[in-house]
Amino acid sequence: MSESRPPLPPFTYESAVKKVRAAEDGWNSCNAEKVSLAYTVDSRWRNRSMIFQGREAIVNFLKRKWEHEFDYRLIKEIWAHSENRIAVRFAYEYRSASGSWFRAYGNENWEFDENGLMRVRHASINDIAIQESERLFHWDRSAPRPADHPGLTELGL
């Protein structure tokens, strides 16, 4: 039996939006093993200056990431889609071990297999130092972003 992660391609605008929100919710869990299941076993990633492949590498990358990015909160927003590809823009806020706050801005290009698993992920990301008073992402970390919490467009990001 093959793995499946609905919604499946070909994507409509509505199903692509659901896919983006599911990815946001998954990443906000900060559970590397759970997140990795949304990707093919041989998924190829380019993340900033790093290039790697496979679920084990994804798990290792995410564990290292979240060991250094505390109070992580992410918002993703669809930018464009086609039959099996989705482009998103995103921003996330996190606190470093020294207590400094950052907002990371980025774009991702995703390609999916027929089972809805992501086989390619290209991410370009920039970090900007912010003051704690400039934080915009406020929700309980134990739950996904509430439906009434503003998205990137509403926040002017």
Side-chain angles (χ1 to χ4, degrees):
M1 185 168 108
S2 64
E3 301 170 271
S4 181
R5 185 63 65 127
L8 308 177
F11 296 116
T12 63
Y13 176 77
E14 292 76 17
S15 66
V17 167
K18 286 180 183 176
K19 195 73 156 177
V20 171
R21 184 57 190 248
E24 175 187 313
D25 291 347
W27 277 66
N28 275 323
S29 77
C30 296
N31 181 327
E33 289 84 5
K34 177 183 170 185
V35 171
S36 76
L37 298 177
Y39 301 89
T40 62
V41 295
D42 61 347
S43 185
R44 295 181 326 234
W45 281 33
R46 182 187 51 75
N47 193 88
R48 301 178 192 242
S49 61
M50 298 175 62
I51 298 173
F52 51 93
Q53 185 170 358
R55 280 193 186 152
E56 184 177 343
I58 292 168
V59 169
N60 291 335
F61 167 80
L62 292 173
K63 283 182 175 181
R64 285 190 313 272
K65 170 186 178 60
W66 291 320
E67 286 173 357
H68 302 283
E69 295 179 354
F70 302 100
D71 299 317
Y72 179 92
R73 288 175 178 83
L74 164 74
I75 298 176
K76 291 184 182 280
E77 186 173 278
I78 190 168
W79 189 255
H81 80 284
S82 67
E83 288 188 6
N84 73 330
R85 292 181 174 168
I86 299 175
V88 299
R89 66 189 196 98
F90 64 89
Y92 63 89
E93 294 178 346
Y94 67 94
R95 179 180 49 82
S96 69
S98 67
S100 299
W101 282 92
F102 295 87
R103 185 175 303 125
Y105 296 93
N107 299 291
E108 292 176 325
N109 297 311
W110 302 340
E111 182 179 278
F112 295 88
D113 72 4
E114 63 280 357
N115 296 312
L117 297 172
M118 195 182 303
R119 66 177 160 216
V120 178
R121 175 184 175 267
H122 296 285
S124 299
I125 307 166
N126 300 301
D127 295 290
I128 297 174
I130 61 172
Q131 297 299 312
E132 185 172 6
S133 61
E134 296 175 291
R135 292 182 55 225
L136 298 173
F137 302 175
H138 301 281
W139 64 85
D140 182 351
R141 282 281 311 123
S142 66
R145 176 172 56 102
D148 63 349
H149 189 286
L152 299 177
T153 298
E154 293 82 11
L155 291 169
L157 300 176

